[in-house]
Amino acid sequence: RSQLSSCYLTTVPDNLDGIYESIKENALLSKFAGGLGNDWTRVRALGSHIKGTNGESQGVVPFLKVVNDTAVAVNQGGKRKGAVCTYLESWHLDIEEFLELRKNTGDDRRRTHDMNTANWIPDLFMRRVMEKGDWTLFSPSDCPDLHDRFGKDFEKAYVAYEQKAERGEIKPSRKVPATDLWRKMLSMLFETGHPWITFKDACNVRSPQQHAGVVHSSNLCTEITLNTSDTETAVCNLGSINLLRHICNGEIDHAKLQRTIATAMRMLDNVIDINYYAVKKARDSNLRHRPVGLGVMGFQDCLYELHIPYASPEAVDFADRSMEAICYYAYWASTDLARERGKYASYKGSLWDRGVLPLDTLDLLAGERGGYVEVDRSSTLDWDALRRKIATDGMRNSNCVAIAPTATISNIIGVDASIEPCFGNLSVKSNLSGEFTIINAYLVRDLKRLGLWDDVMVMDLKHFDGSLRPIDRVPKELKALYATAFEVEPQWLVQAAARRQKWIDQAQSLNIYMAGASGKKLDETYKLAWISGLKTTYYLRTMGATHAEKSTIKAGRLNAVSTHGEHQESASAMDAAAASARAQMAAAPATDIKFCAIDDPGCEACQ
């Protein structure tokens, strides 16, 4: 069956029929190769009253165990593992137990080892953290309207519920210092890689479709921000531009980029009509709003081609200019399609219809937050011309741009994934198709030019996990240009992402790489992400505290790639001294000893 869509988003109601219907829907969508994002915020908390039985609810966690096992039982079309991410808002009374779902200790019946989780965080919570205030936790059965509110509207309702709780009119509820809950969020993120940090209000205030509903969650990879309801399952069709093929003579080839994007947008729009839908709610939603998600890959390759280090203001500026061009031409292509094929059904009343473009929504966000938005607002293209064209022709697609992980397709065409920094100049990727050795061809080219590419260099790269930093004979300029992901300070990743986000009508899969992670560094990085106007973040990737020593002995076997835990190396250990090992390196040709791929090869990004 021609199931060509990538992502599905659902919201789960607070009744038994709806809960198990949602789990069934997960199974059907996963069967036909869809990645899933579920919003579970409406399901009442542990200890809440159940009118039908006059009993107490067991909360959201036992149901999430069923979701986890369903994802394991029903894989994605037999091609890769079933994958789902569950989202919960930060005021839910079960939030603290939700944070611990991926822990390896505790009652295993209340753990979900195979499922992803994400925090859906309102701006009011972040302001309470910044201002060191208190935060009150509720069961959604006592304040059901909070689920559909955002911005100042959410704050007004939330504060009213807090006052009721203070008077003892809402039970159960619990007050905690906001900084304590934030600290626990970051601690669990560091310990387990989950739940991811995503921001509810940035997704909603900046959504062009806020007139048609509410964004209740993102998707499996945190780049899709579409409305969901009891009658609509959000669907997104993804494609990605190979940005490297649009660099010519040190500049972006705008004419070629525009032609490529026009073709890509037409193809993605066609998918909506020819797609097979396993669930009727998904078909209805997709045909009504017609969202697509055009993204990018090969960003790091472009920086190599332009000789720009990732950790530099020039890289941030390139992220800004390249994403501005991609978004401009994507929106232009959609309005061209609207003139040819007609506007999408829910266009009337959208931000597009009102002449508000993604760049303009930064001011809307700052207004709702009362500040706390620090993003460069500069532009280089004629956005007023685009506004006039949209006013005349409308839009074919409610949403046009989203940056997905592109982990497999980027490998196939030979560029670095998505907007990622290079993970390692020599590394191994593992998925259900097998294991793939990845070498940085740009680095090899430059080392050959300098006469530095030899067997010793190959073994040095293996020994130092693909890093140039400890290799003395490599020039500083090359070390900066070919710095690996863990050698790039996370602030550069966030700053580049903020420049992209100002143009994007959806979001981006932004992994945060952090060497030497600490509570202070985590706190600063994720607060910076919020203040920079980001809608979502993805995995936090940290380095392990210990590493196995690399062997230089020819083993005559395929390498093994670790499949669990944080960044670890999988290699034979030996008790030889370093000097002896270096002597063997010089004497023997390069061996096939591999070390680790990214943290979890079972995750969607690593697939």
Side-chain angles (χ1 to χ4, degrees), residues 144-368:
D145 57 322
L146 290 183
H147 179 250
D148 285 332
R149 295 179 185 268
F150 58 87
K152 291 179 179 176
D153 189 37
F154 173 89
E155 181 174 357
K156 182 180 178 182
Y158 182 85
V159 170
Y161 283 122
E162 282 189 309
Q163 292 168 351
K164 281 188 174 182
E166 288 283 352
R167 297 193 296 267
E169 296 173 19
I170 296 180
K171 292 180 181 178
S173 67
R174 186 165 76 255
K175 181 182 285 189
V176 297
T179 50
D180 285 0
L181 183 57
W182 175 246
R183 191 176 296 114
K184 184 167 185 178
M185 286 178 178
L186 297 181
S187 297
M188 287 298 101
L189 186 64
F190 174 72
E191 181 179 336
T192 69
H194 295 83
W196 304 326
I197 304 294
T198 62
F199 302 112
K200 173 185 181 179
D201 290 330
C203 291
N204 278 284
V205 173
R206 301 194 64 196
S207 168
Q209 286 293 98
Q210 55 192 257
H211 71 300
V214 178
V215 183
H216 293 119
S217 72
S218 186
N219 67 317
L220 175 63
C221 306
T222 75
E223 83 275 18
I224 304 304
T225 54
L226 300 175
N227 301 340
T228 55
S229 69
D230 288 335
T231 58
E232 289 190 347
T233 292
V235 187
C236 203
N237 318 298
L238 300 179
S240 299
I241 298 293
N242 178 4
L243 190 56
L244 179 64
R245 295 294 295 271
H246 299 84
I247 300 295
C248 183
N249 298 322
E251 293 291 338
I252 297 171
D253 185 338
H254 283 263
K256 182 178 181 182
L257 186 61
Q258 186 168 15
R259 289 195 304 272
T260 302
I261 289 174
T263 303
M265 290 295 290
R266 181 176 293 273
M267 291 167 64
L268 291 173
D269 189 61
N270 289 344
V271 165
I272 295 166
D273 297 314
I274 66 177
N275 193 45
Y276 168 76
Y277 297 94
V279 174
K280 183 180 182 296
K281 288 193 293 183
R283 175 184 173 83
D284 293 345
S285 171
N286 217 23
L287 291 175
R288 183 179 177 217
H289 307 301
R290 306 190 69 85
V292 299
L294 186 66
V296 65
M297 55 185 161
F299 177 77
Q300 174 72 89
D301 299 76
C302 294
L303 296 182
Y304 292 150
E305 192 71 25
L306 300 171
H307 299 284
I308 299 173
Y310 205 115
S312 68
E314 292 80 11
V316 173
D317 288 339
F318 179 72
D320 194 337
R321 287 183 286 112
S322 59
M323 207 65 226
E324 178 182 11
I326 290 169
C327 292
Y328 186 87
Y329 298 134
Y331 304 149
W332 196 282
S334 185
T335 191
D336 274 347
L337 286 169
R339 184 179 59 195
E340 176 188 335
R341 298 176 169 180
K343 304 167 188 172
Y344 68 91
S346 60
Y347 172 77
K348 191 67 176 175
S350 67
L351 292 191
W352 305 114
D353 182 39
R354 290 155 50 191
V356 179
L357 299 184
L359 178 63
D360 308 322
T361 60
L362 283 171
D363 293 331
L364 298 179
L365 183 62
E368 290 289 332

Side-chain angles (χ1 to χ4, degrees), residues 27 54 78 86 99 164 196 292 396 471 509:
N54 200 33
T86 291
L99 295 177
K164 281 188 174 182
W196 304 326
V292 299
R396 178 65 173 168
I471 305 175
S509 295

